[in-house]
Amino acid sequence: MIEFETVSKTYPGQSVAVADFSLVVPSHRTVVLVGSSGSGKSTLLRTVNRMVEPTSGRVLIDDEDVRERDPVALRRSIGYVLQHGGLLPHRSVLDNIATVPVLKGTPKRRARTAASELLERVGLDPKIGRRYPGQLSGGQQQRVGVARALAADPNILLMDEPFGAVDPIMRRELQEELLRLQAELHKTIVFVTHDIDEAFLLGDEVVVLREGGVIAQRGTPAEILGAPADDFVRDFVGADRAERELHITTVDGRSIAVDGTGRPVGVLAP
Amino acid sequence: MNLFLDALAWLTDPAHWTGPGGVPTRVLQHLAITFAAVTAAAILALPAGVLIGHTRKGAGLVGAIAGAARAIPTLGLLTLLGLALGIGLKAPLIALIVLAVPSVLAGAYAGVQNVDTAITGAARAIGMNPRQIVFQVEIPLAAPVLIGGLRAATLQVVATATLAAYTADFGLGRYLFSGLKSRDYAEMLAGALLVAALALLLELLFAAGQRLAAKRIAAPAHEKGAAESDSPREKEPV
Amino acid sequence: MNWLSLNWPQVIELTRDHLLLSAPALLLSVLIAVPIGRLAQQRPRIGGALLGAASLLYAIPALPLLIIIPALFGVPLRSPATMVIALTVYGVALLVRTAADAFGSVDPRVREAAVAVGHSPRSVFWRVDLPLAVPVLLAGVRVVAVSTVSLVTIGALIGVPSLGTLLTDGFQRGIPAEVATGIIATMALALLFDALLVAAGRALTPWATIRHERPLPQEETT
Ligand SMILES: Nc1ncnc2c1ncn2[C@@H]1O[C@H](COP(=O)(O)OP(=O)(O)O)[C@@H](O)[C@H]1O
Ligand SMILES: [Mg+2]
């Protein structure tokens, strides 16, 4: 469980990036922070692994203030996926995935074997393990990024617009892959995006942010779509758009919200 | 430290400041040969560099010349020419010109070549002919880098002119060689300090000139010129 | 050629001397310039001053520097130490800027991602910054290597033996072949250094060479 307690952040010489943000992210759930660029999503995400220190307020993981933890050890215990993969260009794909286990002292050979298994897990051919990130497509790089985040088997995954830089078709595949993985792994995921469709598809809970990290509305995708809190949210989720006329279908025993064009936009909580 | 005191004593001795072997004469000689060599190199290399930068043909040649120039030992060039042309000023002057050419060429080429093609394209679009583009657009915008090339060449020549005294009785290098021969460390050190001071002075003057060129000619709207950081440093310490 | 066939043992010995002066100087230059360059890149304010100082040092002509060094460091004038110190001064002066540029060339997003997954500051340097700086750094080291090898010849003027000895000796005795041999041997040695560095670069940066050979399409949109 991750708790944000009235977290505020003001960068030196800047106006307030995040003001008094409070949120509880329950364990084994996916919470998506969605908002336009500059609304403070990344800042919030980065307070969890102490890449950013809040100006005031605290962040707790399982009731422990993250400030009590050594930042390096803390970061090794949390998976982190970024928009640009953030893979080390000079290390092979396998070594990239094995980074954190090796940093933690796992013997290289064992870490590589595990990395190879992870490649399969994220839907990649283990043969590409010997390549360098520069030789992979953007979508493949993002999958490797996810594999690296999973390598140390963390309880928490932080994902900062991980699929923002790949083409729409690839993004779709990656999203499905993540849903499949999460169904198996039950991590606690904080996912940041500016894409409301992605938020509804992936989030058990969605938090719509306005400028300054102010929560405009939070709830399940169905709740937000069904009853946008105000014009800002209505505008943001595009509830007025014709293709947003939702209906519910059932697939594999799960209720899926499908829009006017037949695209699934979210899974309704059971 | 008393070595430096000895050198200071040598420098403050009025006897060393007069006559044909005096400091002012030697400094003037040093500056004169430097100026002559750099001017000659500029006359030879500036047009070529601008042309190569403008046409963007022959870039590989510039790179090869710069690379080869770095590898040639200057002392070798000096002594070989000295043997071929005999004792006197001709050999060192030619050697200095040869050494100055690559820096001037590289500076002019790089400066012109780096001018944004959008700007030259716009100049053509409003009806400038090639000559006007070169003189009114490319050269002014290339000025900081072009001056950087002259700066590198000048430093190279000032340094090498010191060695010129090995094959000709000329310039400040004379103090170094006569001191080396007679094991007069004070004279040697005094000469070394004079050359170093001269080189640093020229370096600072050029740095200021380059900054001014960046500010006044290339980008008059900007307060700070970025001239220093991207000037080619092809000079070799000699 | 006749001169060389009679004197090749001397040429070989001088080549060895030349090598023993230039290689340590090059190594020292890299070892000193890399940390300074890194500091300059991380702290731009200190960095500006450091780079300015380096550029001034570099402006001091070599022969005068050779004569000033004994007075500063207390080493004898005609000693290899004087030579190595002077060469190192130039090497460092040239390399700090490249080193700063090299660390500056590392994509900050990669560095940040490395921090985010839990690299300690030390391992960010050793495992991320340094290896990624190698390509730019190496370009600078190649320039320094070639100019160091060429510069060693100046030592002959103060009596430190190297291939430069062939230049001064040949000049004084009026043997053009000896001078020419000195020039060619020096340039060959410089080329050899350069070739070795290029090979070392290939071995150290497999990711860079592979990417150039087999580019794969990428769908970057931002
Ligand atoms: N390192 C930083 N230094 C200064 N300002 C920052 C920094 N990071 C973010 N900001 C500012 O904080 C605000 C929120 O940024 P961010 O958290 O990155 O938003 P988002 O991820 O939603 O786009 C923006 O106005 C941004 O300019
Ligand atoms: Mg962001």
Side-chain angles (χ1 to χ4, degrees):
Chain A
M1 183 177 62
I2 307 168
E3 278 177 275
F4 296 86
E5 276 186 10
T6 58
V7 171
S8 299
K9 176 67 187 179
T10 308
Y11 291 102
Q14 303 247 325
S15 55
V16 181
V18 170
D20 285 338
F21 180 87
S22 296
L23 181 75
V24 176
V25 179
S27 295
H28 314 303
R29 284 311 182 95
T30 303
V31 171
V32 179
L33 305 180
V34 61
S36 42
S37 176
S39 55
K41 308 179 296 288
S42 300
T43 301
L44 281 167
L45 196 70
R46 291 151 61 91
T47 58
V48 178
N49 69 354
R50 294 191 64 185
M51 294 288 287
V52 168
E53 301 287 353
T55 319
S56 66
R58 340 184 267 167
V59 178
L60 309 170
I61 294 176
D62 295 334
D63 300 319
E64 189 190 5
D65 190 334
V66 293
R67 258 173 307 187
E68 309 287 315
R69 307 271 305 270
D70 168 59
V72 170
L74 176 72
R75 288 169 197 152
R76 289 179 189 175
S77 73
I78 296 176
Y80 193 89
V81 189
L82 305 87
Q83 175 166 12
H84 290 281
L87 301 175
L88 302 178
H90 60 299
R91 298 284 195 76
S92 71
V93 165
L94 274 192
D95 285 342
N96 261 289
I97 298 174
T99 304
V100 177
V102 168
L103 283 173
K104 281 175 147 178
T106 310
K108 233 182 183 143
R109 181 180 290 254
R110 210 166 78 222
R112 284 206 181 126
T113 317
S116 194
E117 284 160 16
L118 269 169
L119 269 178
E120 273 183 288
R121 182 139 227 188
V122 297
L124 289 172
D125 185 343
K127 263 189 271 177
I128 70 164
R130 293 213 317 273
R131 296 205 197 160
Y132 291 97
Q135 298 174 286
L136 304 186
S137 74
Q140 288 172 322
Q141 289 185 24
Q142 289 311 120
R143 285 174 195 263
V144 175
V146 173
R148 176 176 68 177
L150 292 173
D153 196 24
N155 294 323
I156 296 174
L157 277 186
L158 305 177
M159 309 184 82
D160 193 349
E161 311 207 17
F163 312 141
V166 295
D167 68 68
I169 296 171
M170 185 67 73
R171 190 178 317 156
R172 205 74 201 165
E173 281 179 23
L174 288 163
Q175 289 163 349
E176 312 268 322
E177 193 79 37
L178 183 63
L179 281 173
R180 194 180 56 69
L181 275 171
Q182 173 65 347
E184 285 174 26
L185 299 173
H186 307 293
K187 303 287 183 194
T188 305
I189 300 180
V190 185
F191 191 107
V192 161
T193 180
H194 60 257
D195 176 353
I196 189 72
D197 293 328
E198 185 169 71
F200 286 161
L201 179 68
L202 298 177
D204 296 316
E205 186 171 350
V206 172
V207 180
V208 183
L209 295 177
R210 352 168 171 260
E211 204 68 4
V214 176
I215 299 182
Q217 186 173 7
R218 49 175 292 202
T220 64
E223 282 165 2
I224 294 176
L225 270 169
D230 55 20
D231 285 349
F232 175 83
V233 178
R234 197 186 324 276
D235 216 38
F236 197 85
V237 304
D240 300 335
R241 277 188 283 153
E243 68 262 33
R244 271 278 183 273
E245 283 169 11
L246 294 177
H247 55 274
I248 311 291
T249 57
T250 307
V251 180
D252 290 346
R254 295 167 62 130
S255 303
I256 310 268
V258 178
D259 67 17
T261 63
R263 274 196 342 151
V265 294
V267 181
L268 299 189
Chain B
M1 271 301 124
N2 64 354
L3 292 173
F4 284 107
L5 288 181
D6 291 347
L8 200 67
W10 189 97
L11 280 174
T12 47
D13 182 347
H16 296 133
W17 287 80
T18 51
V23 171
T25 317
R26 294 274 184 224
V27 170
L28 283 179
Q29 285 174 344
H30 209 103
L31 283 174
I33 198 168
T34 301
F35 183 76
V38 174
T39 308
I43 290 170
L44 290 171
L46 275 184
V50 169
L51 194 73
I52 294 173
H54 176 74
T55 60
R56 289 160 199 252
K57 281 185 191 126
L61 186 74
V62 177
I65 291 178
R70 203 181 296 125
I72 295 178
T74 39
L75 186 60
L77 196 62
L78 220 50
T79 46
L80 200 62
L81 282 169
L83 282 183
L85 302 174
I87 303 285
L89 268 190
K90 205 149 78 182
L93 189 60
I94 293 176
L96 293 178
I97 294 170
V98 170
L99 291 170
V101 160
S103 299
V104 179
L105 190 69
Y109 156 73
V112 172
Q113 201 261 337
N114 281 341
V115 173
D116 191 345
T117 44
I119 297 176
T120 47
R124 195 171 315 118
I126 62 168
M128 284 191 172
N129 64 31
R131 164 183 287 270
Q132 287 165 329
I133 291 177
V134 168
F135 284 97
Q136 293 176 31
V137 179
E138 287 179 334
I139 291 182
L141 287 176
V145 180
L146 192 146
I147 294 177
L150 288 172
R151 168 183 174 182
T154 306
L155 285 177
Q156 163 103 32
V157 169
V158 166
T160 313
T162 318
L163 303 187
Y166 186 62
T167 64
D169 178 11
F170 204 80
L172 287 167
R174 212 55 230 161
Y175 297 131
L176 276 64
F177 287 108
S178 84
L180 274 166
K181 198 175 272 171
S182 58
R183 307 208 166 217
D184 180 349
Y185 196 78
E187 182 182 9
M188 236 188 281
L189 191 56
L193 292 173
L194 282 172
V195 181
L198 190 67
L200 289 178
L201 195 70
L202 285 174
E203 161 80 359
L204 292 175
L205 278 177
F206 260 104
Q210 215 177 343
R211 219 166 295 140
L212 205 68
K215 210 147 91 182
R216 294 276 165 79
I217 308 175
H222 293 286
E223 276 292 275
K224 282 188 198 151
E228 252 188 307
S229 54
D230 42 32
S231 61
R233 302 301 310 253
E234 289 292 343
K235 171 225 168 222
E236 221 176 293
V238 181
Chain C
M1 277 307 107
N2 205 13
W3 181 88
L4 182 58
S5 61
L6 292 174
N7 294 279
W8 61 265
Q10 190 203 357
V11 174
I12 288 183
E13 189 171 324
L14 290 174
T15 305
R16 203 206 54 194
D17 292 342
H18 206 104
L19 207 67
L20 290 179
L21 290 169
S22 36
L26 189 61
L27 195 68
L28 280 174
S29 304
V30 174
L31 290 180
I32 296 171
V34 165
I36 299 180
R38 157 93 165 178
L39 182 71
Q41 190 265 327
Q42 282 187 324
R43 306 267 154 81
R45 192 155 308 157
I46 309 175
L50 282 175
L51 295 182
S55 134
L56 280 184
L57 265 187
Y58 191 65
I60 299 175
L63 184 60
L65 187 67
L66 281 178
I67 288 167
I68 294 170
I69 280 173
L72 279 179
F73 293 89
V75 288
L77 179 59
R78 278 158 229 268
S79 70
T82 303
M83 206 58 218
V84 171
I85 293 174
L87 294 170
T88 307
V89 166
Y90 285 123
V92 170
L94 251 180
L95 258 185
V96 279
R97 168 149 281 154
T98 322
D101 290 348
F103 288 114
S105 77
V106 177
D107 186 344
R109 292 180 315 203
V110 170
R111 188 181 292 134
E112 197 172 277
V115 174
V117 302
H119 283 81
S120 60
R122 182 190 289 242
S123 61
V124 168
F125 177 76
W126 288 107
R127 291 167 186 247
V128 182
D129 276 340
L130 193 58
L132 287 176
V134 163
V136 177
L137 204 56
L138 198 78
V141 174
R142 285 177 62 191
V143 170
V144 174
V146 170
S147 71
T148 299
V149 169
S150 147
L151 202 53
V152 169
T153 53
I154 307 287
L157 293 173
I158 58 166
V160 179
S162 71
L163 288 170
T165 307
L166 298 177
L167 307 177
T168 50
D169 192 61
F171 178 73
Q172 274 156 10
R173 300 197 306 176
I175 311 173
E178 186 176 357
V179 175
T181 306
I183 295 177
I184 292 167
T186 306
M187 291 179 76
L189 199 61
L191 269 178
L192 181 74
F193 261 76
D194 196 49
L196 285 178
L197 285 170
V198 170
R202 289 254 166 77
L204 281 174
T205 61
W207 74 92
T209 30
I210 285 174
R211 190 154 28 169
H212 283 297
E213 280 161 16
R214 284 183 285 161
L216 282 171
Q218 289 211 26
E219 67 254 35
E220 287 284 294
T221 53
T222 45

